[in-house]
Each structure stands twice: as structure tokens, then as C-alpha cells.
Amino acid sequence: MRPFSYERAADPAAAAARAGQIEGARFIAGGTNLLDLMKIEVETPAHLIDVNGLGLDEITETGDGGLRIGALVRNTDLAADDRIRRDYGVLTRALVAGASGQLRNKATTGGNLLQRTRCPYFYDTAQVCNKRVPGSGCGALAVGASSRQLGIIGTSDACIATHPSDMAVAMRALDVVVETVNPTGETRTIPLADFHLLPGDTPDKETVLAPGEMITAVTLPAPVGGRHAYHKTRDRASYAFALVSVALIRQPDGSGRVALGGVAPKPWRSDAADAELPNGATAVIAELLKGARPTEENVFKIALAERTLAAMLTED
């Protein structure tokens, strides 16, 4: 790990202001992903700004019947909140499917959205990776590369990494909005659908956040009702990232919402695929994964997504 300086921020605006002043500064809260990456020098921040203790650890009700979740609410606390369990069951189910109990006790809502990919070529500094070193190439697309775990849609010739979060997949199904503050103190709201970027030619740019901009909260809209389910298919029964995950909210009339994880650089959902839900899993996945470009090693994910959703639709 390379040397770095450290400070505690006094409030969210001050944290963002400091991040804007110091080139190479990073925010740290739970540190469950950032510290791992610093140890292997994939991340080499010159300065850490500790944002713990800024009062962003509460879940409060909004005027329109929704909930505002502070960026520092821990995953365990979010999953266990009575209002989340009652009205946003898909979110609780996704949270408890992720990581381990110890990690969920430390991981934060904001940090979860900003997780870096678990692509092995990103983690191995002896390999080329356009996300880690722009312009160096994509090791996962080289002849003989291992791509079983990687993306099948939304990818590019520069990167086929997936987004690893379970929480974000459920939040995409729930249409959450991300709140931020930038170094000049300005705030803005960003629909989660627009928050993560596809790799294109610049896979190192993963979100729409500007330098120094900090997540302060995410807002859940009023409950949409229906039956909530989340199913994660993976190589081990626990502590493994998704090969395919499905977040499903299904209404009594057969309509609903479907979001996929483990297949793309961001939680994957479309209105057109949602509209196919009354027609069954085959129709939904055909629409949702239209234009997929899998490798020989991960083409199985298309059938796996369809079968996972089909099984969930029989559970009513």
C-alpha cells in the first residue's frame, strides 16, 4: 500500500470541498472495497477524507410517502429496517444476498453504489485493463481469457466488466434517486438509471459523478406494492458475486418490473422488457437482453437469466 494522508470531514459540503481541492483525494466510509484495492495498489489515492460521523446514517420518511436513506446507512441496518422489510422487500432480500454479515455491518449505502468491478483482469496489476490503465487493452477479451463471470450486454470492445452490487439491482427496480453535493456546495439528484455509465471507449469513467462530488443519500419513492423477490444465482451458496441475479416486483394483474445483475456494467432494466412480464420469462429476457454480445464462456447467462426468472414467476 502506498503512503497517503488522512483527515476527518466536518460535514458533507466540507468533505466535497476538500475533495475538490486535493488532486487524487478519495472519500472513505466503510472502506470494504477501497481498502482492498489500496492494498494491491489498484487504487492509489494521495489523500483520504473520512466521511463517517457526518450525520448521514438515518432513514427518514419523505413527504410523498417514500424514504430517504442516508449515504452512510450500513447495509445491515438498511436490510433490517421495518419499513424497508415491509414495503421494499426486494431491497432487503438483495442486501442480505450480498457479501458476508461482517462486511454488511461496515458497508454503506453510498459505497455500495460505487463498488468497483470484480473482473479478475482489473484486480491483477500484471494484466492489461482499460478500466485500471486507460488504453492498455482488455485482458478479458484476449485469446484464451477467462470471461465466465463477466458481462454479456452493455459491454464494449474496451471492457466487459460487470457491476457487482446486489443492492443496486433492487434499487434499480425501485427507481431510486441519488442525491449528491459537489465541491462548490451545490446539490443535485440523479435517477439511478442514469447514475452508472456504460464503458464505451472510456471504461475508467464509471458514474456521472464529477470530481469531488459526493453521494449524500438515496431516495425511495412511495411503495409500489406487489410481490417482491430477489434471486441470486452464483457458484457458491454464499459470499460470491452473481452470475445472474433477478430483482422482481410483480403486481396481482401480472404487470411489474424486472432488473438483472451480473450481466452488465450497471443494473440492467428496460421499460420494454417490463411490459413483456405478463407474457412470461422468455419474452422478458428476449427483450431485456436484446443485442447481447456474450463470449463463448458466458453465453450460458442468457438461458440462466430466463430460467431464473421463470422459476420466480412460478412462486406466486
Side-chain angles (χ1 to χ4, degrees), residues 138-159:
C138 177
L141 288 173
V143 175
S146 175
S147 57
R148 182 173 183 274
Q149 192 79 24
L150 300 177
I152 61 174
I153 194 164
T155 57
S156 72
D157 291 339
C159 183

PDB file of all heavy atoms in Angstrom, residues 138-159:
ATOM      1  N   CYS A 138      -7.998  -4.745 -23.023  1.00  0.00           N
ATOM      2  CA  CYS A 138      -8.897  -5.507 -22.149  1.00  0.00           C
ATOM      3  C   CYS A 138      -8.414  -6.942 -22.077  1.00  0.00           C
ATOM      4  O   CYS A 138      -8.531  -7.697 -23.057  1.00  0.00           O
ATOM      5  CB  CYS A 138     -10.334  -5.459 -22.666  1.00  0.00           C
ATOM      6  SG  CYS A 138     -11.499  -6.439 -21.678  1.00  0.00           S
ATOM      7  N   GLY A 139      -7.874  -7.332 -20.940  1.00  0.00           N
ATOM      8  CA  GLY A 139      -7.373  -8.689 -20.773  1.00  0.00           C
ATOM      9  C   GLY A 139      -8.461  -9.733 -20.895  1.00  0.00           C
ATOM     10  O   GLY A 139      -8.211 -10.859 -21.334  1.00  0.00           O
ATOM     11  N   ALA A 140      -9.691  -9.359 -20.528  1.00  0.00           N
ATOM     12  CA  ALA A 140     -10.788 -10.321 -20.562  1.00  0.00           C
ATOM     13  C   ALA A 140     -11.206 -10.677 -21.979  1.00  0.00           C
ATOM     14  O   ALA A 140     -11.909 -11.665 -22.181  1.00  0.00           O
ATOM     15  CB  ALA A 140     -11.986  -9.759 -19.800  1.00  0.00           C
ATOM     16  N   LEU A 141     -10.795  -9.872 -22.969  1.00  0.00           N
ATOM     17  CA  LEU A 141     -11.150 -10.137 -24.357  1.00  0.00           C
ATOM     18  C   LEU A 141      -9.991 -10.750 -25.134  1.00  0.00           C
ATOM     19  O   LEU A 141     -10.103 -10.966 -26.343  1.00  0.00           O
ATOM     20  CB  LEU A 141     -11.610  -8.837 -25.033  1.00  0.00           C
ATOM     21  CG  LEU A 141     -12.987  -8.331 -24.577  1.00  0.00           C
ATOM     22  CD1 LEU A 141     -13.268  -6.954 -25.164  1.00  0.00           C
ATOM     23  CD2 LEU A 141     -14.080  -9.323 -24.990  1.00  0.00           C
ATOM     24  N   ALA A 142      -8.884 -11.016 -24.460  1.00  0.00           N
ATOM     25  CA  ALA A 142      -7.735 -11.629 -25.130  1.00  0.00           C
ATOM     26  C   ALA A 142      -8.015 -13.107 -25.409  1.00  0.00           C
ATOM     27  O   ALA A 142      -8.858 -13.741 -24.752  1.00  0.00           O
ATOM     28  CB  ALA A 142      -6.489 -11.486 -24.257  1.00  0.00           C
ATOM     29  N   VAL A 143      -7.325 -13.662 -26.387  1.00  0.00           N
ATOM     30  CA  VAL A 143      -7.486 -15.077 -26.723  1.00  0.00           C
ATOM     31  C   VAL A 143      -7.138 -15.932 -25.498  1.00  0.00           C
ATOM     32  O   VAL A 143      -6.093 -15.733 -24.869  1.00  0.00           O
ATOM     33  CB  VAL A 143      -6.569 -15.461 -27.903  1.00  0.00           C
ATOM     34  CG1 VAL A 143      -6.657 -16.971 -28.170  1.00  0.00           C
ATOM     35  CG2 VAL A 143      -6.954 -14.674 -29.145  1.00  0.00           C
ATOM     36  N   GLY A 144      -8.028 -16.835 -25.155  1.00  0.00           N
ATOM     37  CA  GLY A 144      -7.794 -17.711 -24.021  1.00  0.00           C
ATOM     38  C   GLY A 144      -8.139 -17.120 -22.668  1.00  0.00           C
ATOM     39  O   GLY A 144      -7.940 -17.767 -21.632  1.00  0.00           O
ATOM     40  N   ALA A 145      -8.691 -15.898 -22.655  1.00  0.00           N
ATOM     41  CA  ALA A 145      -9.025 -15.245 -21.381  1.00  0.00           C
ATOM     42  C   ALA A 145     -10.224 -15.929 -20.732  1.00  0.00           C
ATOM     43  O   ALA A 145     -11.030 -16.587 -21.392  1.00  0.00           O
ATOM     44  CB  ALA A 145      -9.333 -13.776 -21.621  1.00  0.00           C
ATOM     45  N   SER A 146     -10.334 -15.737 -19.428  1.00  0.00           N
ATOM     46  CA  SER A 146     -11.471 -16.257 -18.680  1.00  0.00           C
ATOM     47  C   SER A 146     -12.528 -15.165 -18.563  1.00  0.00           C
ATOM     48  O   SER A 146     -12.264 -14.096 -18.014  1.00  0.00           O
ATOM     49  CB  SER A 146     -11.026 -16.702 -17.285  1.00  0.00           C
ATOM     50  OG  SER A 146     -12.147 -17.106 -16.516  1.00  0.00           O
ATOM     51  N   SER A 147     -13.728 -15.431 -19.077  1.00  0.00           N
ATOM     52  CA  SER A 147     -14.770 -14.410 -19.074  1.00  0.00           C
ATOM     53  C   SER A 147     -16.093 -14.941 -18.519  1.00  0.00           C
ATOM     54  O   SER A 147     -17.126 -14.302 -18.672  1.00  0.00           O
ATOM     55  CB  SER A 147     -14.982 -13.884 -20.498  1.00  0.00           C
ATOM     56  OG  SER A 147     -15.301 -14.951 -21.379  1.00  0.00           O
ATOM     57  N   ARG A 148     -16.069 -16.082 -17.891  1.00  0.00           N
ATOM     58  CA  ARG A 148     -17.302 -16.721 -17.422  1.00  0.00           C
ATOM     59  C   ARG A 148     -18.133 -15.794 -16.550  1.00  0.00           C
ATOM     60  O   ARG A 148     -19.357 -15.750 -16.652  1.00  0.00           O
ATOM     61  CB  ARG A 148     -16.939 -17.998 -16.653  1.00  0.00           C
ATOM     62  CG  ARG A 148     -18.131 -18.781 -16.142  1.00  0.00           C
ATOM     63  CD  ARG A 148     -17.694 -20.111 -15.543  1.00  0.00           C
ATOM     64  NE  ARG A 148     -18.816 -20.907 -15.116  1.00  0.00           N
ATOM     65  CZ  ARG A 148     -19.386 -20.796 -13.920  1.00  0.00           C
ATOM     66  NH1 ARG A 148     -18.909 -19.936 -13.054  1.00  0.00           N
ATOM     67  NH2 ARG A 148     -20.430 -21.545 -13.598  1.00  0.00           N
ATOM     68  N   GLN A 149     -17.489 -15.037 -15.673  1.00  0.00           N
ATOM     69  CA  GLN A 149     -18.193 -14.205 -14.704  1.00  0.00           C
ATOM     70  C   GLN A 149     -18.610 -12.845 -15.299  1.00  0.00           C
ATOM     71  O   GLN A 149     -19.369 -12.118 -14.680  1.00  0.00           O
ATOM     72  CB  GLN A 149     -17.286 -13.966 -13.491  1.00  0.00           C
ATOM     73  CG  GLN A 149     -17.954 -13.355 -12.271  1.00  0.00           C
ATOM     74  CD  GLN A 149     -18.734 -14.363 -11.449  1.00  0.00           C
ATOM     75  OE1 GLN A 149     -18.464 -15.557 -11.484  1.00  0.00           O
ATOM     76  NE2 GLN A 149     -19.729 -13.886 -10.708  1.00  0.00           N
ATOM     77  N   LEU A 150     -18.154 -12.532 -16.487  1.00  0.00           N
ATOM     78  CA  LEU A 150     -18.217 -11.151 -16.973  1.00  0.00           C
ATOM     79  C   LEU A 150     -19.480 -10.863 -17.786  1.00  0.00           C
ATOM     80  O   LEU A 150     -20.366 -11.698 -17.909  1.00  0.00           O
ATOM     81  CB  LEU A 150     -16.939 -10.842 -17.739  1.00  0.00           C
ATOM     82  CG  LEU A 150     -15.671 -10.999 -16.865  1.00  0.00           C
ATOM     83  CD1 LEU A 150     -14.413 -10.763 -17.676  1.00  0.00           C
ATOM     84  CD2 LEU A 150     -15.722 -10.064 -15.668  1.00  0.00           C
ATOM     85  N   GLY A 151     -19.544  -9.643 -18.347  1.00  0.00           N
ATOM     86  CA  GLY A 151     -20.770  -9.122 -18.909  1.00  0.00           C
ATOM     87  C   GLY A 151     -21.132  -9.671 -20.275  1.00  0.00           C
ATOM     88  O   GLY A 151     -20.272 -10.100 -21.052  1.00  0.00           O
ATOM     89  N   ILE A 152     -22.451  -9.588 -20.572  1.00  0.00           N
ATOM     90  CA  ILE A 152     -22.953 -10.050 -21.863  1.00  0.00           C
ATOM     91  C   ILE A 152     -23.718  -8.957 -22.597  1.00  0.00           C
ATOM     92  O   ILE A 152     -24.047  -9.127 -23.773  1.00  0.00           O
ATOM     93  CB  ILE A 152     -23.853 -11.294 -21.709  1.00  0.00           C
ATOM     94  CG1 ILE A 152     -25.081 -10.984 -20.832  1.00  0.00           C
ATOM     95  CG2 ILE A 152     -23.061 -12.455 -21.122  1.00  0.00           C
ATOM     96  CD1 ILE A 152     -26.083 -12.132 -20.769  1.00  0.00           C
ATOM     97  N   ILE A 153     -24.009  -7.848 -21.915  1.00  0.00           N
ATOM     98  CA  ILE A 153     -24.764  -6.770 -22.558  1.00  0.00           C
ATOM     99  C   ILE A 153     -24.318  -5.432 -21.962  1.00  0.00           C
ATOM    100  O   ILE A 153     -23.915  -5.359 -20.791  1.00  0.00           O
ATOM    101  CB  ILE A 153     -26.285  -6.975 -22.384  1.00  0.00           C
ATOM    102  CG1 ILE A 153     -27.044  -6.061 -23.340  1.00  0.00           C
ATOM    103  CG2 ILE A 153     -26.728  -6.785 -20.936  1.00  0.00           C
ATOM    104  CD1 ILE A 153     -28.502  -6.448 -23.517  1.00  0.00           C
ATOM    105  N   GLY A 154     -24.369  -4.400 -22.801  1.00  0.00           N
ATOM    106  CA  GLY A 154     -23.911  -3.087 -22.347  1.00  0.00           C
ATOM    107  C   GLY A 154     -22.408  -2.964 -22.348  1.00  0.00           C
ATOM    108  O   GLY A 154     -21.868  -1.937 -21.942  1.00  0.00           O
ATOM    109  N   THR A 155     -21.720  -3.997 -22.789  1.00  0.00           N
ATOM    110  CA  THR A 155     -20.264  -4.004 -22.789  1.00  0.00           C
ATOM    111  C   THR A 155     -19.739  -3.341 -24.069  1.00  0.00           C
ATOM    112  O   THR A 155     -20.514  -2.926 -24.937  1.00  0.00           O
ATOM    113  CB  THR A 155     -19.756  -5.452 -22.707  1.00  0.00           C
ATOM    114  OG1 THR A 155     -20.299  -6.190 -23.811  1.00  0.00           O
ATOM    115  CG2 THR A 155     -20.196  -6.099 -21.401  1.00  0.00           C
ATOM    116  N   SER A 156     -18.418  -3.270 -24.190  1.00  0.00           N
ATOM    117  CA  SER A 156     -17.811  -2.672 -25.379  1.00  0.00           C
ATOM    118  C   SER A 156     -16.543  -3.438 -25.733  1.00  0.00           C
ATOM    119  O   SER A 156     -16.129  -4.346 -24.992  1.00  0.00           O
ATOM    120  CB  SER A 156     -17.477  -1.194 -25.121  1.00  0.00           C
ATOM    121  OG  SER A 156     -16.366  -1.088 -24.243  1.00  0.00           O
ATOM    122  N   ASP A 157     -15.906  -3.047 -26.827  1.00  0.00           N
ATOM    123  CA  ASP A 157     -14.635  -3.677 -27.195  1.00  0.00           C
ATOM    124  C   ASP A 157     -13.514  -3.290 -26.235  1.00  0.00           C
ATOM    125  O   ASP A 157     -12.437  -3.885 -26.261  1.00  0.00           O
ATOM    126  CB  ASP A 157     -14.237  -3.272 -28.619  1.00  0.00           C
ATOM    127  CG  ASP A 157     -15.159  -3.874 -29.661  1.00  0.00           C
ATOM    128  OD1 ASP A 157     -15.820  -4.891 -29.347  1.00  0.00           O
ATOM    129  OD2 ASP A 157     -15.230  -3.321 -30.772  1.00  0.00           O
ATOM    130  N   ALA A 158     -13.775  -2.298 -25.375  1.00  0.00           N
ATOM    131  CA  ALA A 158     -12.756  -1.856 -24.416  1.00  0.00           C
ATOM    132  C   ALA A 158     -12.926  -2.493 -23.043  1.00  0.00           C
ATOM    133  O   ALA A 158     -11.986  -2.484 -22.235  1.00  0.00           O
ATOM    134  CB  ALA A 158     -12.788  -0.336 -24.275  1.00  0.00           C
ATOM    135  N   CYS A 159     -14.124  -3.064 -22.746  1.00  0.00           N
ATOM    136  CA  CYS A 159     -14.371  -3.577 -21.386  1.00  0.00           C
ATOM    137  C   CYS A 159     -15.644  -4.417 -21.357  1.00  0.00           C
ATOM    138  O   CYS A 159     -16.667  -4.014 -21.925  1.00  0.00           O
ATOM    139  CB  CYS A 159     -14.503  -2.406 -20.414  1.00  0.00           C
ATOM    140  SG  CYS A 159     -14.734  -2.888 -18.682  1.00  0.00           S
TER     141      CYS A 159
END
